Amino acid sequence: VVRVVTPGTITDSAILNESQNNYLVGICIAKDTIGLAFVDVSTGEISATNLSGDDRLARAKSEIGAYQPAEAIINKAGDDYIELSVFMRERFGTIITDNAKRLYEYDKCRDNVNRAFGDDAGKLNTPELIVAVGVVLSYIEETQKIANAHTKEIRVYSKEEYLELDLNTRRNLELVESMRNKEKRGSLLWVLDKTKTSMGARLLRTWILRPLIDPVAIGNRQNAVSEILKNQRAADELAELLSGVLDLERLVARAIYGSANAKDLRAICNSILVLPEIKSIISSFGGNAFNNIIKNLDTLDDISEILDRAIDDNPPFQVREGGIIKDGYDADVDYYRSILTNGENIMRSIEEREREATGIKTLKVSKNSVFGYFIEVTKSFVNEVPDRFIRKQTLTNCERYITEELKNMETEIFNAGDRLVTVEYNIFQSLRQLIADNGERIRKTASLISEIDVYRSFADVARKNSYTCPDVDLSTDIIIKDGRHPIVEKFVKDSYFVPNDTTLDLSQNKVMIITGPNMAGKSTYMRQTALITLMAQMGSFVPARSAHIGVVDRVFTRIGASDDLSAGMSTFMVEMTEVAEILANATAKSLLILDEIGRGTSTYDGMAIAKAVLEF
């Protein structure tokens, strides 16, 4: 067995969704803490977080909901284990491995983490985090049959770093998929995704699900978008060049795991060849984000030079059939190829030489399937045959001989094909190892390229949809002039989308109560406020004439009526648990969208609940 394929360890691009990560999650449940480690084996991306406190289970579900793992490794520890397992299996169809006790040995996990991340391992500051990360590393090594799991630098994050979005909010605001048919079309991702690379599409999805809460970082992204908007010609050239960049992250991962073929290496080469042009275009852009990219973007010229000289422009899929290496790259390859293509010519030249040397005019070199190559001399010239000729066969009108040179040449020709394939395969393996050895360099470049791609996508959408750059600061005000719903306005092509203002703060405008008839646009208006806030905090421009957004720490939504029969909860019960969770976790800096609160019960009870929640 050379490799075990499981849902969370697939590296084959043909099976994976190119615009979405494929996560494996390691879960370590302790008494008061849950450690989570998410890894995408196909890109080497790894993130970890530690959850403690009374709401740790709800937050664990929320985190898992953001990553939607294909596979989970979990330790059996009480009710939390049962609840998380059922949640993952039913909500995302996650395959659960819960019988891997061998992977949960603390010392083994710690050694794995230290070996994989060196000094960076210090970021994992709790036993639960060390075990969660160690477990996924061990599992990858077991399934991929390699000594070290291929992972990027580890990212350990806490809830203070990103705007927190729970499962309901992601679903209700239709951030990455529509509520009705679970497709990308009709979601915010659908509106914003004009990326040209698979890597950019995956990064954009991550940014949408993890908006920032640091105004400086948000400002850096906005400046990058502004730089591209200022130069339309450069933006168009960038789009064209980025279209030629293939999925470097996954291609490199395949090289590291030893499953890349020659076409993959050629794809890496072609993608790297456009990097100098991309760097040259962005070198005219200013701002912190682009300065950082320009400084750190390695154009990998040494790697592209070797690959371009070595790998054929259109190599075969199979790596053991030859035809991979270009002429002129390797002397042995050229030699065996020349033997294969010039075998007959070589035999003709031997024939000419032997005629001259012996003076036998009728001497000729022939071959058959029984004897291979031989020299044929007619009976009348047999006395003139030199001693170095070895008699092979006697016929009625001629004698057949072989010589040492002919025998050696015959062996060379017959073996040239096999030797050529072997030599080409060995060179291919060394080139694949070259990619693996430089994996970290290529990955860093790939992540910078995906960043450029997302900025360009934001700029493209802003220009086409008349978005504006919002002011984002640490105040507690949300002031939007002529705001529009980014998704709904794309569907009302033939009529005018009526824009609206929003003013929210912590003094006179703490609460807005929206009333009106059905189909008046109440829900659209409420959702657009939340979406504009989220777009501003992910660094995108927003659909409004102007917007001033004081950073919010969480967005909560309570929208629509639905029951959860599998959990034995009525529509009203679902609504009340959601509201209870919002009231327990909302802070002064949270944005709450409550659509028809109390709708799941009678009019008077519903009004009483709505009034009580508002007053609270």
Side-chain angles (χ1 to χ4, degrees), residues 379 391-400:
K379 284 273 200 242
R391 183 181 277 111
K392 192 82 176 164
Q393 190 184 18
T394 303
L395 300 176
T396 50
N397 57 351
C398 66
E399 297 276 345
R400 287 176 177 174

Side-chain angles (χ1 to χ4, degrees), residues 198-211:
S198 310
M199 304 176 292
R202 290 195 296 270
L203 182 65
L204 173 60
R205 187 187 175 90
T206 304
W207 282 12
I208 288 174
L209 293 173
R210 297 214 174 285

Side-chain angles (χ1 to χ4, degrees), residues 129-178:
L129 269 183
I130 289 169
V131 171
V133 174
V135 160
V136 289
L137 294 178
S138 295
Y139 190 70
I140 294 168
E141 287 167 18
E142 272 189 17
T143 54
Q144 304 303 299
K145 308 293 179 196
I146 55 168
N148 288 322
H150 143 74
T151 47
K152 293 182 190 176
E153 173 189 9
I154 189 162
R155 190 173 63 90
V156 180
Y157 64 95
S158 63
K159 69 173 185 177
E160 290 78 30
E161 284 178 59
Y162 300 106
L163 188 156
E164 228 177 305
L165 298 165
D166 60 28
L167 271 174
N168 288 324
T169 303
R170 285 188 210 112
R171 189 183 68 232
N172 290 332
L173 294 178
E174 301 183 298
L175 295 184
V176 293
E177 61 182 23
S178 65

